[in-house]
Amino acid sequence: MTAAAPSSALSHIRVLDLTRVRAGPTCCRIFADFGADVIKIEAPQGVDPNEGMSGQRLGYDMQNLHRNKRSLTLNLKKPEGRAILMRLVETADVVVENFRPDVKERLGIAYEDLRAVNPRIILASISGFGQTGPYRDRAGFDQIAQGMGGLMWVTGAPGQGPMRAGIAVADSSAGIYAATGILVALAERERSGEGQWVQTSLLQSQIAMMDFQAAAFLVEGKVPGQAGNDHPYSTPMGVVPTQDGFINIGVGGEGQWAALCRALERPDLANHPDYAVQDLRFRNREKLMTELAAVFATRSSADWLRTLDAHGVPAGPIYRVNEVFADPQVQHLGIAKPVRHPQLGDIRLVGQPIDLSRTPAGIASPTPDAGEHTEEILRDIGLDAGAVSDLRAAGVV
């Protein structure tokens, strides 16, 4: 396997990654994949009481989240460890952390502490509920944010109770929003010469991801409910059973409705008094979907998808994850990226969903062992082998 070339897009940026679990690592992964020097700072073995929360080092999640980074072990509970962090801050551009808000204050690594060392530093803080307010010190997890952000009452079938989404929506979106904030701060720093404090939380990010559902309440006072596999406002748009499985259809306007009726060879539906326009179809959704289900049940999913495509009706298969990566369009997009791991061998990871024409993202190296680059990084700030050995003996690195 040929190693991918690292991206040069952000090779001038150094990021100190103090994060763990998912939201923070998602943020830092973006910078690492676009070529930034991301130093993953983690506690030496046995120091962190929650060690292992992020999963097994050789497991799929750690490998997917921490590729392209260098690893430094550093005990921030010791003053010598904090002193080393501050020396790194002197030449860094960004620090990313997802401690509870009070932790960085206790450690003496809050924004004002970092800014005193390097006025150009950008601190990105990702918390469960925000850096201030009545919930600031609560522990936050993705599912808790899904519930508090409204997602679980618009997910799932009506009447079956709240349902979590099958992915970590709040965690992942918080990481992406944090990265967006950092990029804005970096761009602004070009003009002002100063860094700033970027903040987001799982709760804010989950609410932002609610988007039109949240706007329906804020603008018109509507409280959206669960719609199952149906779109909350457009019909027919959702899952239909076929002879051998299920497919998604999406009919967003009158032209597409007419095209669907032609594809189904059911011209009688096009101007039916219960279905002629979108409002009527929505009002009579249950009856309409029952009629459509009877038609779609007569042929296979593949047959219907060919027919619908030929008529210009938006439709698609409903894949399990193994089927996703077997799809020819997914393979063409190349989002499954190969990398060679010294212990796991040749593996594939999920690439960035962004293509740049000159400086694309790349996965050049797998997740490092804990502390793999400790001596290398400490040499960069002027410590010799003897000093590193002393720090190891003292439990600092």
Side-chain angles (χ1 to χ4, degrees), residues 340-345 366-367 369 372:
R340 182 180 290 276
H341 190 281
Q343 292 171 262
L344 298 173
T367 294
D369 289 337
E372 181 177 330

Side-chain angles (χ1 to χ4, degrees), residues 230 235-236 239-241 266 269 275 284-297:
D230 293 317
T235 300
V239 176
V240 290
R266 288 292 305 272
L269 293 177
Y275 314 134
N284 297 292
R285 178 191 321 207
E286 186 174 350
K287 178 183 173 185
L288 172 59
M289 295 305 289
T290 299
E291 285 210 52
L292 295 182
V295 179
F296 277 102

Side-chain angles (χ1 to χ4, degrees), residues 308-380:
L308 294 170
D309 185 51
H311 285 81
V313 178
I318 301 174
Y319 288 147
R320 292 177 173 83
V321 174
N322 61 310
E323 297 169 310
V324 171
F325 290 103
D327 184 277
Q329 181 64 26
V330 175
Q331 293 181 350
H332 170 78
L333 292 171
I335 197 166
K337 300 294 186 184
V339 66
R340 182 180 290 276
H341 190 281
Q343 292 171 262
L344 298 173
D346 293 338
I347 60 174
R348 293 187 300 165
L349 302 172
V350 183
Q352 292 294 336
I354 310 165
D355 293 320
L356 273 68
S357 61
R358 288 191 299 104
T359 57
I363 301 179
S365 60
T367 294
D369 289 337
E372 181 177 330
H373 304 94
T374 294
E375 291 189 23
E376 173 186 306
I377 294 165
L378 294 182
R379 277 200 310 269
D380 289 348

Side-chain angles (χ1 to χ4, degrees), residues 97 99-110 136-137:
E97 60 88 12
F99 302 126
R100 292 193 199 186
D102 63 318
V103 171
K104 58 184 170 294
E105 296 164 4
R106 293 202 313 268
L107 292 174
I109 57 172
R136 74 183 291 263
D137 293 325

